[in-house]
Amino acid sequence: EQFHTIGDLYCQLWYDDRKYPVVVGPAEYDRIYPFIGHPDMWVSHFVLCKLPEATSLPYGVSVVPSKCAKPANQLLVLNRDEVVKTDTHALCISPMNNNFKEWEMVIEWIEIHKLLGAKEITLYKFWISHDTNKVLESYLKDNNDNTVNVINWPYPPLKSNVWCQRGALNDCLYRMGHRHKYVTITDMDEILVPRRQGEDWPQLVKRLHALDTEIGAFLFQHISGETHH
């Protein structure tokens, strides 16, 4: 329980027109996965910083244990400019781990999901092989392909629960949900495949929404590649 109780936190908000930060707090925080069965040192939390009234958005935020504490780092505020959310699909994958070597699988996985309708794919790099990393770098360097994002996710392997997977997926949900109406979450060994011939994700969702327009989320059953009778 000691690693799940972190005490008071304060937010230092950094603005373009100020030399020193504006301090607000104590901040609210909530554990993303409230389970004490894993007494891990690295646990993911939401830290909620209230913005002062009648101010612009800050460009950075630091989280400190007291009002006058010196910040150890600064998180940049993403999506400061207004973005129109489009009726498109994004895809998030759990952190790639265990020195992931299947670089051919990465290519296949990315290209299949492009065909299925994923307009933006975000991967979290925890521990992968040299060859897998070269594949990801090639996607990032391709000026004609703005589909793939790669986020470094450097958590101590022995001090995080499932590579802080829940933190990564929540991070991706907020990143992608700002621009896309639909965000799909899978693992590297999963592919969401519509069962109707020739159907992609946009067509699948359109068909499902026609059945019930009040649906807020879809949960699809996992099955193995084996044939069942």
Side-chain angles (χ1 to χ4, degrees):
E1 181 64 24
Q2 60 177 318
F3 301 125
H4 298 269
T5 303
I6 56 181
D8 287 342
L9 294 175
Y10 290 84
C11 301
Q12 296 181 347
L13 309 179
W14 301 85
Y15 290 89
D16 295 313
D17 58 349
R18 292 175 179 265
K19 184 177 181 181
Y20 299 103
V22 175
V23 180
V24 295
E28 297 179 17
Y29 65 89
D30 186 32
R31 205 161 59 243
I32 291 178
Y33 182 55
F35 177 58
I36 63 174
H38 297 284
D40 307 301
M41 182 174 292
W42 293 87
V43 181
S44 300
H45 289 74
F46 286 117
V47 179
L48 308 178
C49 303
K50 278 195 172 183
L51 292 176
E53 293 184 7
T55 62
S56 58
L57 288 176
Y59 70 81
V61 178
S62 300
V63 180
V64 292
S66 64
K67 292 182 178 179
C68 298
K70 184 177 180 180
N73 52 44
Q74 185 182 97
L75 299 174
L76 294 179
V77 176
L78 305 179
N79 304 318
R80 295 179 72 196
D81 298 327
E82 185 176 355
V83 176
V84 177
K85 182 182 292 191
T86 58
D87 192 19
T88 50
H89 293 251
L91 176 62
C92 300
I93 182 178
S94 298
M96 304 172 69
N97 56 78
N98 289 336
N99 195 25
F100 193 87
K101 299 182 177 66
E102 306 296 332
W103 59 268
E104 301 101 327
M105 180 180 175
V106 174
I107 297 173
E108 179 184 45
W109 188 87
I110 290 174
E111 296 303 324
I112 285 177
H113 281 97
K114 287 182 185 179
L115 293 174
L116 287 171
K119 294 301 182 184
E120 191 168 3
I121 301 171
T122 300
L123 304 99
Y124 286 76
K125 186 172 67 174
F126 180 80
W127 180 21
I128 62 177
S129 69
H130 174 76
D131 289 339
T132 303
N133 191 58
K134 295 295 286 184
V135 167
L136 296 181
E137 287 180 349
S138 70
Y139 275 103
L140 295 178
K141 292 177 181 178
D142 187 353
N143 293 328
N144 296 320
D145 188 342
N146 298 320
T147 305
V148 179
N149 309 307
V150 179
I151 309 295
N152 289 320
W153 201 246
Y155 284 91
L158 300 179
K159 296 182 180 180
S160 61
N161 176 231
V162 199
W163 314 285
C164 285
Q165 178 191 61
R166 294 166 184 85
L169 295 180
N170 276 277
D171 176 82
C172 191
L173 180 63
Y174 280 94
R175 287 176 185 263
M176 299 294 98
H178 187 69
R179 296 189 291 273
H180 305 276
K181 184 176 181 179
Y182 302 100
V183 179
T184 300
I185 295 176
T186 71
D187 286 331
M188 182 61 75
D189 59 351
E190 298 172 339
I191 299 176
L192 172 58
V193 180
R195 300 186 67 176
R196 290 192 176 182
Q197 185 175 0
E199 193 173 61
D200 58 13
W201 284 0
Q203 293 167 330
L204 170 65
V205 170
K206 183 178 180 180
R207 175 165 58 86
L208 294 177
H209 271 308
L211 302 176
D212 186 349
T213 58
E214 299 300 319
I215 294 175
F218 299 99
L219 179 62
F220 297 94
Q221 183 178 2
H222 294 210
I223 60 172
S224 68
E226 300 175 358
T227 300
H228 297 276
H229 299 282

